[in-house]
Amino acid sequence: MSVRPLPSSTPAAQGVDATRVLAFLDALDAAPDIEPHSLMILRHGHLVASGWWAPYTPERLHLLYSLSKSFTSTAAGFAVAEGLIRLDDPVISYFPEFEADITDPRSRAMLVRHVAAMASGHEEETYERARALDRDELVRGFLLLPPERDPGTVFAYNQPATYTLGAIVQRVTGQSLTDYLRPRLLDPVGAGDVAWLRGRAGRELGFSGLHATTDVVARLGQLYLNGGVWDGERLLAPEWVAEATREHIPTGAGVPEEDRQDWDQGYGFQFWQSRHGYRGDGAYGQFCLVLPEHDAVIAITAATGDMQALLDLAWEHLLPAFTDGPLPDGQDADATLRERLTRLALPPAPGKPAPPERAEEWSAAEFTPAGGVCAAQRTLGSVAVASGADGWTVTLTEDGNRLELSLGDGGWSVAEAPLPTAVSGGWTDPDTLTLDVAFLETPHHLLLTCSLPDHTFTARWATEPLHGAPLRSLRAPRPSG
């Protein structure tokens, strides 16, 4: 699907100090626990800076994890405006087939607005407990789990709450979230393709699983910043924008005001309040930062276990970049930033592209998990190394499925089949082969080491997939048929 480019401008023309953006890039480079994948900055409705760290690219879909929730919220906003959902309806009213099963008065009192605001009355995450009660129908399992408190009185980040909101939208519309959003959101803002993982009941997950480009994230943020208007056309009701992005339920209970971080500022309808503005966010650093006080949107994808550190760098370096007017002397800094953004790249793992010694022993060598267990990927049973006319390949076998990886010449070797990957690394000594395997439509890397003396391998995740899926599923879902 073709994508209409966002309006673009120079940073200086829109009052953005490019030297501050460059300092942010420097800080990311210096942060050992943050791996940036992409950055887009919009100011006054114009794209002023964008870059992707190779091997990631602008057109690549990226797993957004819980940033998906903000898209589910948007779908609910459309359904409310169309009279298909009412926020003060009991959740159970949308699932009459469960009516006889759900007897707890708090579960029966739970309203649509409560699941939208993570205020179901449960005191903690319910996903595993709800799934244990009904593995095939998460809504039923969730409603069968009595809340400890009255709905609307306590915050708990709770995947089944969002799943239930998404299930309601899909039930009343008769469409998937993606299909429902396409003519209402995605096409009108000029967004490209997206793809959403489905659960056992066949529904799109809602709480996670959306794969989209950074551009789509930026457009969602700009729509909310505009109060629901795009190119002069009203798409989303202003009442929903206001409700979704204000605090409905406090977070960070018991945290002193002076110690509060970005997750302690309150929660809206599937949007977090921030120390600055509000945001959608997803595990490992997928962010849509909306800054009304600066008329700016920042979209980021990344891989980090320290999301607060990434936000801290944004607040430290990017907030001061937004000035009150154009910067007439900013052309040189703009040019420096523009050039820097064209050469962003993740450093490849070290290693030689061929074994320095004993090539015959390495060719056709097979490796089993060290200690009989692969800690990172329990189903990864073997690794095979081979040489051929096109160079060296490494084949991972998982539950009988093979993933063949081609080694490059010292950089990142990108392949689209059988799933999008980039591989770097090689032989660090005659006995050791070390690879970094990036699954390009996710935030995840598998770090693999093969030892020739004992023919074993070890594997660990740089960031561990949260959906517990096999390697072959670490990609955006493709249309069936």
Side-chain angles (χ1 to χ4, degrees), residues 188-202:
V189 303
D193 291 332
V194 302
W196 215 319
L197 294 175
R198 294 175 181 261
R200 295 172 68 93

Side-chain angles (χ1 to χ4, degrees), residues 318-392:
L318 295 182
L319 286 185
F322 302 125
T323 66
D324 291 335
L327 300 172
D329 299 324
Q331 292 89 347
D332 289 346
D334 286 355
T336 301
L337 176 61
R338 185 166 54 250
E339 190 275 333
R340 172 80 171 272
L341 290 168
T342 64
R343 55 181 175 85
L344 297 175
L346 299 180
K352 298 182 182 298
E357 300 175 21
R358 301 201 294 279
E360 289 186 4
E361 293 180 58
W362 276 102
S363 183
E366 296 190 2
F367 302 84
T368 57
V373 176
C374 178
Q377 190 66 23
R378 289 173 295 174
T379 55
L380 184 57
S382 67
V383 174
V385 179
S387 63
D390 295 328
W392 290 82

Side-chain angles (χ1 to χ4, degrees), residues 95 122 287 310 314 378 389 405 465-466:
F95 303 95
H122 297 95
F287 286 116
L310 180 50
R378 289 173 295 174
L405 307 169
L466 300 183

Side-chain angles (χ1 to χ4, degrees), residues 137-402:
E137 178 48 89
L138 189 61
V139 172
R140 181 174 176 274
F142 174 58
L143 294 175
L144 283 172
L145 193 64
E148 296 86 0
R149 306 266 291 275
D150 289 340
T153 63
V154 62
F155 171 82
Y157 198 65
N158 195 348
Q159 312 306 326
T162 315
Y163 180 84
T164 299
L165 179 66
I168 292 171
V169 173
Q170 291 173 88
R171 172 159 289 199
V172 300
T173 64
Q175 294 180 284
S176 68
L177 294 170
T178 300
D179 288 343
Y180 184 62
L181 286 172
R182 174 56 63 189
R184 293 164 176 83
L185 170 70
L186 300 173
D187 284 347
V189 303
D193 291 332
V194 302
W196 215 319
L197 294 175
R198 294 175 181 261
R200 295 172 68 93
R203 302 186 191 101
E204 292 180 342
L205 292 179
F207 64 86
S208 186
L210 179 61
H211 295 70
T213 62
T214 316
D215 178 84
V216 171
V217 175
R219 289 169 194 257
L220 179 75
Q222 188 64 44
L223 176 67
Y224 274 83
L225 182 64
N226 292 348
V229 173
W230 190 271
D231 281 347
E233 178 185 358
R234 165 69 58 192
L235 301 183
L236 194 59
E239 296 83 3
W240 183 263
V241 174
E243 285 293 288
T245 61
R246 72 170 179 88
E247 180 185 300
H248 285 269
I249 193 78
T251 59
V255 180
E257 186 68 31
E258 64 273 15
D259 295 333
R260 291 195 168 193
Q261 298 296 298
D262 281 283
W263 281 265
D264 304 321
Q265 306 297 321
Y267 199 75
F269 285 165
Q270 309 296 302
F271 284 89
W272 290 92
Q273 301 298 294
S274 290
R275 287 180 292 167
H276 307 279
Y278 57 87
R279 71 188 191 281
D281 74 31
Y284 302 124
Q286 323 319 313
F287 286 116
C288 179
L289 309 179
V290 183
L291 305 171
E293 65 271 34
H294 298 291
D295 195 24
V297 173
I298 304 168
I300 298 171
T301 63
T304 179
D306 192 348
M307 294 169 64
Q308 184 62 65
L310 180 50
L311 286 176
D312 289 345
L313 293 179
W315 303 150
E316 178 183 356
H317 298 289
L318 295 182
L319 286 185
F322 302 125
T323 66
D324 291 335
L327 300 172
D329 299 324
Q331 292 89 347
D332 289 346
D334 286 355
T336 301
L337 176 61
R338 185 166 54 250
E339 190 275 333
R340 172 80 171 272
L341 290 168
T342 64
R343 55 181 175 85
L344 297 175
L346 299 180
K352 298 182 182 298
E357 300 175 21
R358 301 201 294 279
E360 289 186 4
E361 293 180 58
W362 276 102
S363 183
E366 296 190 2
F367 302 84
T368 57
V373 176
C374 178
Q377 190 66 23
R378 289 173 295 174
T379 55
L380 184 57
S382 67
V383 174
V385 179
S387 63
D390 295 328
W392 290 82
T393 60
V394 177
T395 301
L396 313 184
T397 301
E398 178 190 44
D399 286 342
N401 293 281
R402 292 160 53 89

Side-chain angles (χ1 to χ4, degrees), residues 42-55:
L42 283 72
R43 185 90 195 282
H44 304 324
H46 291 79
L47 179 63
V48 298
S50 62
W52 284 258
W53 280 257

